[in-house]
Amino acid sequence: MGRQFFVGGNFKMNGNIKTIRDIVHNINSAKLDPNVEVVIAPPALYLLLAREHLRKGIEVAAQNVFDKPDGAFTGEISVKQLKESGITWTLTGHSERRVILQEDDAFVASKTKAALDGGLGVILCCGESLEQREAGKTIEVVTAQLKAVADIVKDWSKIVIAYEPIWAIGTGKVATTAQAQEVHAAIREWLKKEVSPEAAEATRILYGGSVNEKNCTELGKQPDIDGFLVGGASLKPAFVDIINANST
Ligand code: PGA
């Protein structure tokens, strides 16, 4: 019993050699809650730099990965290349890739499967738009995104789910604790029915969308919120406070 709290930092397309070094240095020198699993996802160009300087025990994630082993896929990075470089996690299905890069549920699922098959952990992102929420379709949208993965992946032990309502990402408009908890509980219920009771019990479900050092403590107390995926605030020293949300 007891899911280990997990905090991911998604830097998106931000940073440069100096600022990535500074962020890594800040994390390395901070006192972090030892009970929290921490993973940072810098832009692809800085994955090796981050891995080289980051202290042991904190992992590095790619923000994206391709679903073919190698070959003529200009601009893409393979699971094997990440693994060889000591990058042990990847994000899949971030809403910015679903919306801007037009990745559909099946493609996200295929990448998720390829990453898992190759031995990476996956932070699988899901979430609804404001329009979908207002139409009462939140649970339907989120579970459809997850179902595409469940259709081809049976072992969920290396998947961490990140529920990120699109309207809360980068907007400063955080979901209320009740809104987040409601969706997290629904996802857990879905896992129980569609994957297994064991997966429902063990899978970490993160909340993402305008998480900061002020709102994290309350969110982190919800029974079905097992951590955060942090965007903007992961670039700031406050990221450490979010990692330590439960120990303050
Ligand atoms: P945000 O981004 O914290 O800047 O809202 C979260 C995310 O997109 O992962």
Side-chain angles (χ1 to χ4, degrees):
M1 195 37 231
R3 295 176 290 270
Q4 188 183 15
F5 210 73
F6 185 111
V7 177
N10 174 14
F11 297 0
K12 312 193 179 187
M13 199 177 72
N14 293 300
N16 55 46
I17 292 173
K18 183 181 179 312
T19 58
I20 302 283
R21 275 179 189 273
D22 289 348
I23 293 167
V24 167
H25 176 74
N26 184 51
I27 294 171
N28 285 346
S29 51
K31 194 168 178 300
L32 303 180
D33 183 339
N35 300 314
V36 179
E37 186 169 358
V38 180
V39 175
I40 59 166
L45 186 59
Y46 307 119
L47 287 169
L48 280 169
L49 177 77
R51 183 59 284 165
E52 191 186 340
H53 293 281
L54 197 61
R55 76 191 202 198
K56 274 213 184 87
I58 300 176
E59 297 296 316
V60 179
Q63 295 174 13
N64 182 35
V65 70
F66 202 53
D67 63 345
K68 305 287 185 297
D70 50 51
F73 303 107
T74 302
E76 296 297 330
I77 297 179
S78 75
V79 173
K80 230 195 244 168
Q81 289 166 337
L82 292 173
K83 266 279 292 304
E84 192 214 9
S85 305
I87 310 307
T88 52
W89 286 85
T90 186
L91 267 63
T92 58
H94 191 281
S95 65
E96 284 146 21
R97 296 205 63 86
R98 291 182 189 267
V99 175
I100 305 167
L101 283 304
Q102 298 178 12
E103 293 189 3
D104 62 17
D105 292 353
F107 187 39
V108 170
S110 177
K111 291 187 195 208
T112 302
K113 179 173 169 30
L116 294 166
D117 288 349
L120 297 181
V122 175
I123 302 170
L124 168 63
C125 307
C126 58
E128 83 289 1
S129 66
L130 187 58
E131 228 182 0
Q132 291 164 331
R133 171 162 285 265
E134 284 172 350
K137 292 192 169 146
T138 297
I139 307 296
E140 187 186 318
V141 168
V142 166
T143 54
Q145 291 169 340
L146 297 175
K147 184 182 182 298
V149 175
D151 284 345
I152 55 170
V153 171
K154 298 303 155 205
D155 179 1
W156 281 55
S157 61
K158 291 190 78 178
I159 296 180
V160 170
I161 296 170
Y163 167 60
E164 303 198 298
I166 297 172
W167 47 272
I169 295 179
T171 56
K173 208 172 148 189
V174 67
T176 64
T177 49
Q179 282 174 325
Q181 168 56 29
E182 185 193 7
V183 180
H184 283 230
I187 292 173
R188 206 173 296 290
E189 199 48 42
W190 176 88
L191 280 170
K192 193 171 166 188
K193 282 207 204 97
E194 306 296 329
V195 182
S196 69
E198 294 73 29
E201 190 58 42
T203 304
R204 271 86 57 89
I205 307 175
L206 317 181
Y207 170 78
S210 297
V211 173
N212 61 33
E213 70 281 15
K214 294 192 188 80
N215 57 34
C216 63
T217 312
E218 218 32 56
L219 285 162
K221 280 186 194 146
Q222 303 305 304
D224 290 297
I225 299 184
D226 307 307
F228 308 112
L229 183 57
V230 185
S234 69
L235 301 162
K236 302 178 190 159
F239 185 51
V240 166
D241 301 325
I242 299 171
I243 294 169
N244 292 335
N246 293 334
S247 55
T248 47

